[in-house]
Amino acid sequence: AGSRPILVNSKSVPARIYRWQDLVAGSSVTGPAIVAAETLTCLVPPNWQMAQDEYGNGRLSRWQRK
């Protein structure tokens, strides 16, 4: 849904913006990113990822390259 700058350690970095309603179970978003919905805004920092589970919960974890 676009991008916008965010501050990370006092530096401006671009963050992709995702719409919560566009994500499905198994989706993952790698930071820096913002996941936005009507009632929430979730910041996904650099080197982190947010994965949506089968119940629609977002789970943040450190991102590990495979």
Side-chain angles (χ1 to χ4, degrees), residues 22-59:
D22 292 341
L23 302 177
V24 297
S27 294
S28 65
V29 172
T30 303
I34 297 168
V35 181
E38 277 188 41
T39 59
L40 74 91
T41 301
C42 180
L43 172 65
V44 182
N47 302 314
W48 284 75
Q49 92 175 18
M50 189 215 63
Q52 191 179 85
D53 68 15
E54 66 272 17
Y55 302 106
N57 299 309
R59 296 179 182 247

